[in-house]
Amino acid sequence: MNENENLMDKVISLCKRRGFIFPGSEIYGGLANSWDYGPLGHQLKQNIKTLWWKFFVTGREDMVPMDTAIIMNPRVWEASGHLQNFSDALVECKVCHKRFRADHLLEAKGITPRYAKEELQDLDQINCPECAGDLTAPKNFNLMFKTAFGINDATALDVYLRPETAGGMFVNFKNILNVTRKRLPFGIAQVGKCFRNEITPGNFIFRTREFEIGEFEYFIRPDDWEKIFEMWLGEIRRFWQDAMQINMDNLVWYEIPDGERAFYSKRTVDIKYKFPFGTEELHGIAYRTDHDLSRHEKVSGQDLHYTDPETNEKYLPHVVEPTFGIDRMLLVALLEAYHEEEAPTSDKGETETRIVMKFPKYLAPIQVAVLPLSKKDELSGPAKELAADLRKNFVVDYDETQSIGKRYRRQDEVGTPYCVTMDFDSLEDKKVTVRDRDTMVQERVEIVELTNYLKEKFNF
Ligand code: GAP
């Protein structure tokens, strides 16, 4: 097992052990590649979404938020092309009957998928990866999840779980324009669940059939697209560097060449990440011209044009669309945070390996842990009061079991930035010891000053 596979295994194991992420429906034997976010995973995801939201939505004056339905009128998907074209090439082994995504089998053999007249090439080079059997010709497998809308089998409407959130924002373009009186350029953003019946889900939360997306449609004048595309590339870079604080050497900016982009897109960049299982798409940004609004205009019969209030010029806005996979962002946050390092166990100069999740402090699912040095009421009473007071401003864990060393290690393993230890001296001098997760340096702080001290550390 190489170091990278090892890292993935270690992160998955930590996620289950500490309640970040559990296999879905586990007591019934699970459901392939479905995952449930536990207490720490949910909080971490929430923190990532809040960071994203603040950076790209509420922190800007040119963005408005919305939250649209998962199930929409099926004509939305007719207009967007999903019903006809949202498919992957599926091949089946003629011997063992396992099914695979043809482009993934090519990639696994080091062959970059090529298309001629929309048909995948080089399929004669691949066999079943399980039994080496011959494969069938590819067929287009639509990834949309279909369900029935209505209580009467005879009249229920065939509807689909949304595969992306974009459609909800395009069909509301006129509503948003009317109520916000925004002028171009401006964007509509949302975060929400999406569903795709993937042929080969896998790699933990990297590719699943149910996942979350954060994306926005940024409406622009057609002539401005190049400058605005560059602006968003810069903002995305700033987000990964300053907000998510990742090692930027792990990102690869892949310019999708002509011929590989969707026919309506003039520029698309995939932001890839060097995952332990390979360099794969983390998220993307696409210039979609006026494709979406013109399709919705045609299929709905509604006028979706924009009239410039200054020049009276009437035109269909063009769109730049950055899309982020929230679960992939969370996987990156976990991989970047995971550290193993030698740490002293005692005054005798001995060391042990500590696992420490070095999340950016504001992303950590627990912000402060309160740890009394004794379980006796004399100390646990005031320590619980202190924890309750800190909860007004921070996410706090209270832990009084086992040795202080073991408790520090437990908090390190889930990335808690600050541990606050209360000892018997605290009852006299009204001070506590604050330990920093990364430096392990301890500082004595006045209890009355503690909230402000921590607020400053978190930069609130
Ligand atoms: N509206 C554009 C759009 O949906 P996409 O590249 O199909 O673009 C956007 O998907 C992002 O959603 C991807 O870059 C990835 O981060 C995430 N994503 C897509 N499929 C996924 C899956 N099956 N599991 C987890 N995340 C997925």
Side-chain angles (χ1 to χ4, degrees), residues 278-334:
T279 299
E280 297 281 352
E281 179 183 329
L282 168 56
H283 73 101
I285 167 171
Y287 166 45
R288 299 179 61 90
T289 60
D290 62 357
H291 173 71
D292 306 272
L293 286 183
S294 69
R295 286 290 304 153
H296 286 297
E297 199 174 65
K298 189 158 182 231
V299 177
S300 71
Q302 304 282 323
D303 177 6
L304 299 179
H305 279 63
Y306 169 81
T307 306
D308 188 305
E310 273 160 29
T311 62
N312 264 339
E313 192 191 351
K314 192 172 173 185
Y315 59 94
L316 214 47
H318 282 214
V319 165
V320 174
E321 177 193 67
T323 307
F324 293 70
I326 302 287
D327 308 81
R328 290 188 189 177
M329 288 166 68
L330 188 134
L331 180 55
V332 165
L334 290 165

Side-chain angles (χ1 to χ4, degrees), residues 86 163-164 166 196 198 205-209 211-213 215 217 281-284 288 321 323-328:
F86 195 56
E164 59 176 28
R196 297 182 188 180
E198 296 281 0
I205 54 170
F206 176 78
R207 182 171 285 110
T208 50
R209 294 191 167 114
F211 56 95
E212 241 173 317
I213 271 183
E215 69 182 337
E217 310 307 323
E281 179 183 329
L282 168 56
H283 73 101
R288 299 179 61 90
E321 177 193 67
T323 307
F324 293 70
I326 302 287
D327 308 81
R328 290 188 189 177

Side-chain angles (χ1 to χ4, degrees), residues 24-42:
S25 319
E26 201 177 6
I27 63 166
Y28 288 101
L31 177 68
N33 298 291
S34 87
W35 302 94
D36 292 333
Y37 285 86
L40 297 180
H42 173 258

Side-chain angles (χ1 to χ4, degrees), residues 141-187:
F141 178 79
N142 194 291
L143 304 186
M144 301 273 279
F145 270 105
K146 194 174 181 177
T147 187
F149 196 78
I151 55 166
N152 183 333
D153 284 350
T155 56
L157 189 62
D158 282 346
V159 293
Y160 302 87
L161 305 186
R162 67 178 175 198
E164 59 176 28
T165 65
M169 298 185 276
F170 287 123
V171 304
N172 278 288
F173 172 66
K174 263 282 151 84
N175 279 339
I176 295 288
L177 211 52
N178 289 341
V179 298
T180 63
R181 310 183 79 80
K182 282 274 179 213
R183 292 179 181 193
L184 262 54
F186 78 93

